[in-house]
Amino acid sequence: MRLIGKSGAKSGAAVEADTDAWAESAESPESRPGALPAQRTSGLSERPAVGGSGPDSLVHVSTRQFSAAVGPYGAGGEEASGGAALDPAGLDPTSFETALAARESAALEARHRQAADDGDPDAASRLGTLLLRRGDLEDAEPYLRAAAAAGVRAAANNLGVLLHQQGHRAEAGQWWRHAAVAGSAPAAHALGLQLRDQGEEEAAEYWLHYAADHGHPLGAYALGDLMEHRRDVRAERWFKVSADAGHREAAYRLARMREAAGDKETAEAWYRTAAARSHARAALRLGVLLEERARTDRTLLEEAARWYRQSAQNGEPRAACALGFLLRDSGDVAAAAEWWQEAAEAGDGNAANALGALHASRGEAKAAEHWYRTALDAGDQNGAFNLGLLCAATGRDQQAEQWYRRAAYAGHREACNALAVVLLQRGDESGAEPWFSKAAEAGSVDGAFNLGVLHAGRGEARQAQEWYARAAAEGHGEAALQLAVAQEQRGNLSGALERYRQAAAGGSAEGAFRLASVLDRRGDADAEAEHWYALAADAGHRRAQVRMGVRAAERGALEIAESWYRRAAEAGSRSAAFNLGLLLARQDSEAEAMLWYTRAADAGHGRAALRLALLALRRGEPVQAENWCRRAIDQGPAEVAERAGRLLGALHAELSA
């Protein structure tokens, strides 16, 4: 072989740019064995327009000129059409243009072949390239070898492509090296990829750097990829060079780097650039960023949905899943289900779980189970956990435990917690504890709280407090409540207030009530106390509802007071029932008042029983009065029992007189 040197006088556009046509990456649907070493990522290669190797040199003639020169179209000329000439103007334009291109290509190939056979190395290079593109490797090889030996740089480059496709990687590398030394950026890129795959990263970096410096976008991308793999901060620079040249995967990778660095504004711009070039994952990430920003600007939701839809239509199931959640949150559950189904059928386990949950919420257990199993088949262990929840909800406790156990052994933290709860309810505390521990160590807030409950039940206060603190730090309201109660019992009121606030913020109605009670006792934060009472009452806390009723009655807002008392009384509060009876009695609704007194007394309210005894005595029913007095004595409290005792004594004295 001779070192190639004479191509320096040729036009770069005329002899370069063939390697890129074969450097397909893993995302390309046309990728085939034997193509150039692929880029490390899944990005599609943006290929620049190819110039100078065959098709750009086609001779273009008009339809009429071509028809006159070569005669009518048809498989057998006039004989094939019954002897009648075909009018080109009457042909289907698409098939006519296809046939015309085929004729032109054949004519061009014949001219190149004649010139190559006459010893023209440039013609041999063009012919070899044409045959290589067509997949005719055996016919292409001798022409490319002849041209490469004659010093045609593009021929050496393309001979490397051909040999690589044939599996002769060592020889391919030699020809790429010849072409790269002669100044071919595409060959330098291909050689760099091959060296990288062989583990020769230092040499790979040299040639990729050469390709990038000579304006090769794929070279810049591959160099950025290599540097990022080695955690080299210069990677971002080369991704930007490639992205600026139109490489969409580079734009996506650059966006991911900026997002990881916290620069979401720049990341969004590059995601937008890549998404505009139909990059599915970039459109997905752009949708995610826009949806995050929509928390403060709801108008962005429509744009987020638009990018999710584009990404989904380009084959990204995660985008279809995200679009489903967006539509569900906007109230369009039917459309959400359609996108979830599309994503689930494409293998997205999250979408399958969402469909399962949707069917479960409608009571469609069979359909829910189907989609949960689909999620599990897709490798999503949430499917096993959800199957456990579904079985538990339908009374299949043994199957529920099996599904929890399967998910737990796969590392699903909430399944670990659920399995531990099942074991604890069965009395197997020693079996439950390690699963609670595994759940808590994996980050399950409920697992940490339950582990605290377990230790507290054994009287191990210090360990319990440690786990409560861990759960509270993650926003678990009930864990914060336990810490607050402990602080209050120690007399640390300021510490208790802080924890009660944390409990209330974490959704604990009891925490909100206790916070309000402490503030109420202090007497210097009435408005804040009212706020927390109301919050707890709205969450269904019965004592808070009674407190809201009392406060309203004190202000003279009797209708509001009655409303709160009724809510609490109907939920089972005996104090609310008694207070409602008092309120109704003052409003001359004694018949209804007696009903509520009776409900309160039946629930063990001593004052209600004493009030019923007095009413019975007033109605002249001493036996009924005696019965209610006895119940009041039994139910207390002490002062009520004392009054009921005196009344009962008076009744006996009167009855015996």
Side-chain angles (χ1 to χ4, degrees):
M1 294 182 191
R2 291 192 294 120
L3 183 63
I4 300 169
K6 78 174 195 178
S7 63
K10 297 182 180 293
S11 164
V15 295
E16 301 292 322
D18 290 305
T19 299
D20 290 351
W22 301 93
E24 289 148 347
S25 63
E27 191 177 277
S28 172
E30 292 83 24
S31 293
R32 49 190 170 277
L36 286 187
Q39 301 287 3
R40 196 192 307 272
T41 70
S42 59
L44 286 174
S45 302
E46 271 64 50
R47 298 171 183 150
V50 177
S53 294
D56 60 327
S57 304
L58 292 178
V59 178
H60 295 282
V61 296
S62 69
T63 302
R64 193 172 299 280
Q65 288 173 320
F66 187 84
S67 180
V70 302
Y73 283 89
E78 289 186 4
E79 292 79 6
S81 59
L86 296 176
D87 179 5
L91 292 174
D92 175 66
T94 304
S95 48
F96 176 76
E97 291 296 335
T98 302
L100 176 59
R103 291 292 183 105
E104 288 182 337
S105 180
L108 180 64
E109 181 181 339
R111 287 198 299 275
H112 285 333
R113 192 178 294 275
Q114 180 63 50
D117 290 342
D118 289 341
D120 184 343
D122 289 332
S125 176
R126 288 183 172 83
L127 177 60
T129 298
L130 189 151
L131 295 169
L132 177 61
R133 286 176 174 167
R134 200 164 66 200
D136 191 352
L137 306 189
E138 187 176 349
D139 197 11
E141 184 174 352
Y143 289 104
L144 289 175
R145 283 190 181 277
V152 180
R153 190 173 68 186
N157 183 25
N158 290 330
L159 179 58
V161 174
L162 183 147
L163 291 166
H164 187 84
Q165 290 190 26
Q166 291 178 332
H168 305 308
R169 287 170 169 73
E171 189 181 357
Q174 293 173 9
W175 284 109
W176 279 331
R177 189 178 297 274
H178 279 302
V181 168
S184 170
H189 167 242
L191 179 59
L193 291 180
Q194 186 182 63
L195 290 167
R196 181 206 67 190
D197 291 348
Q198 292 171 357
E200 301 177 42
E201 291 193 359
E202 187 174 345
E205 182 179 345
Y206 173 83
W207 287 112
L208 292 175
H209 211 299
Y210 180 92
D213 282 341
H214 285 75
H216 196 282
L218 289 177
Y221 171 75
L223 181 58
D225 179 56
L226 181 65
M227 289 181 169
E228 186 184 38
H229 175 67
R230 296 187 337 212
R231 303 184 187 279
D232 190 323
V233 294
R234 294 174 296 169
E236 187 171 332
R237 171 198 169 192
W238 292 110
F239 281 143
K240 186 175 186 305
V241 168
S242 185
D244 285 337
H247 195 289
R248 66 180 188 178
E249 178 70 14
Y252 171 73
R253 296 281 292 278
L254 180 57
R256 291 305 300 261
M257 293 181 77
R258 295 316 308 154
E259 185 180 4
D263 184 4
K264 291 191 176 182
E265 185 177 351
T266 304
E268 183 179 324
W270 283 112
Y271 281 137
R272 199 176 290 277
T273 297
R277 295 170 185 155
S278 298
H279 193 290
R281 283 168 297 139
L284 169 62
R285 289 303 309 164
L286 179 56
V288 170
L289 289 184
L290 290 168
E291 189 174 358
E292 288 176 357
R293 286 175 51 203
R295 294 169 187 165
T296 55
D297 183 0
R298 303 292 293 176
T299 61
L300 293 173
L301 285 176
E302 186 176 343
E303 186 183 359
R306 196 162 62 246
W307 287 114
Y308 283 148
R309 186 173 284 105
Q310 175 183 303
S311 179
Q313 290 169 345
N314 283 332
E316 178 52 75
R318 291 175 298 172
C321 180
L323 180 58
F325 282 111
L326 203 62
L327 290 167
R328 181 205 63 182
D329 293 343
S330 69
D332 193 349
V333 178
E338 290 178 6
W339 284 107
W340 281 335
Q341 183 163 343
E342 181 173 320
E345 289 173 350
D348 189 282
N350 193 26
N353 275 313
L355 272 176
L358 179 62
H359 286 290
S361 69
R362 296 170 176 169
E364 299 163 355
K366 188 174 181 180
E369 184 169 341
H370 165 76
W371 288 113
Y372 288 150
R373 287 182 182 274
T374 300
L376 187 57
D377 290 341
D380 191 331
Q381 292 302 324
N382 279 315
F385 175 60
N386 288 333
L387 281 167
L389 294 176
L390 185 68
C391 289
T394 52
R396 294 175 288 169
D397 294 338
Q398 187 174 359
Q399 288 177 274
E401 182 179 340
Q402 291 172 354
W403 286 117
Y404 289 150
R405 195 175 293 276
R406 176 169 174 175
Y409 275 113
H412 192 290
R413 63 190 188 189
E414 298 308 329
C416 293
N417 180 62
L419 176 60
V421 170
V422 169
L423 294 172
L424 191 61
Q425 289 173 340
R426 204 161 62 207
D428 186 3
E429 184 177 313
S430 61
E433 185 174 359
W435 287 113
F436 278 138
S437 296
K438 188 173 181 179
E441 293 295 348
S444 170
V445 181
D446 286 337
F449 173 72
N450 288 335
L451 201 53
V453 172
L454 197 66
H455 283 293
R458 297 171 181 166
E460 299 165 351
R462 184 182 60 79
Q463 294 94 321
Q465 293 293 299
E466 288 175 358
W467 286 109
Y468 287 148
R470 189 162 172 175
E474 297 297 324
H476 197 289
E478 296 306 317
L481 173 63
Q482 295 302 319
L483 294 170
V485 170
Q487 293 284 356
E488 188 174 5
Q489 288 173 346
R490 294 190 197 111
N492 183 3
L493 198 57
S494 61
L497 278 172
E498 181 182 350
R499 287 297 188 180
Y500 280 138
R501 289 185 194 281
Q502 188 179 3
S508 170
E510 179 68 18
F513 172 74
R514 285 176 177 260
L515 173 58
S517 298
V518 172
L519 294 170
D520 205 1
R521 289 197 302 271
R522 281 197 341 188
D524 58 353
D526 188 66
E528 188 182 359
E530 179 94 6
H531 165 75
W532 292 113
Y533 277 137
L535 199 69
D538 285 334
H541 193 284
R542 290 182 297 181
R543 285 183 295 161
Q545 290 169 342
V546 172
R547 177 53 56 184
M548 288 295 291
V550 170
R551 290 169 74 90
E554 289 173 349
R555 296 195 304 267
L558 299 184
E559 289 185 7
I560 295 175
E562 182 180 341
S563 173
W564 283 118
Y565 288 150
R566 281 190 185 277
R567 284 182 61 179
E570 288 168 356
S573 169
R574 63 187 187 184
S575 294
F578 176 68
N579 288 353
L580 180 57
L582 290 176
L583 192 65
L584 291 168
R586 291 170 190 164
Q587 295 173 345
D588 297 326
S589 298
E590 190 167 293
E592 187 182 358
M594 285 190 65
L595 294 176
W596 288 110
Y597 289 148
T598 302
R599 182 180 291 192
D602 287 342
H605 197 284
R607 283 191 174 86
L610 180 58
R611 180 60 60 107
L612 286 167
L614 292 170
L615 289 172
L617 191 59
R618 194 172 67 187
R619 290 195 308 271
E621 300 173 351
V623 176
Q624 286 288 349
E626 183 178 349
N627 290 336
W628 284 119
C629 280
R630 293 186 186 282
R631 289 181 61 175
I633 293 169
D634 292 338
Q635 292 167 355
E639 66 272 16
V640 170
E642 183 183 352
R643 288 182 60 194
R646 290 201 303 269
L647 181 58
L648 184 60
L651 279 170
H652 283 165
E654 184 177 336
L655 290 172
S656 60

